Amino acid sequence: SNVCESLGVVLNNAMDESKKIRNSKIVIKLSEDSKSYKIVIINKYKNNIDISLLGTIDYTTKPNGNGYGLYS
């Protein structure tokens, strides 16, 4: 499903970055209410991310543009 694919991309990105940062960790928070589920993934990242571009076609923070990004 799209949720599983998106979750896989986000977790993969978090793991890739965590390998580059000493003593890093990934925090995953799950919650729900009567209408929805919420998944929050928190990790450190060395560079800057243009939040306004997240989810747009061809936007990736991976070197040489080789990432899938959240658009896929």
Side-chain angles (χ1 to χ4, degrees):
S1 76
N2 289 339
V3 172
C4 291
E5 290 175 37
S6 296
L7 186 57
V9 169
V10 172
L11 285 172
N12 187 44
N13 288 347
M15 289 186 290
D16 286 348
E17 283 306 310
S18 292
K19 292 175 189 174
K20 300 175 189 175
I21 300 172
R22 188 175 185 202
N23 297 323
S24 67
K25 64 181 177 180
I26 299 170
V27 176
I28 302 171
K29 297 180 180 183
L30 306 171
S31 62
E32 67 176 302
D33 60 28
S34 61
K35 296 180 183 179
S36 63
Y37 296 98
K38 183 176 181 180
I39 303 170
V40 176
I41 300 171
I42 302 167
N43 67 285
K44 290 185 179 181
Y45 182 69
K46 286 184 175 183
N47 299 313
N48 294 319
I49 298 174
D50 188 341
I51 300 294
S52 68
L53 293 176
L54 285 178
T56 61
I57 194 166
D58 293 332
Y59 179 71
T60 179
T61 59
K62 302 277 182 165
N64 303 316
N66 65 354
Y68 290 109
L70 292 176
Y71 182 80
S72 59

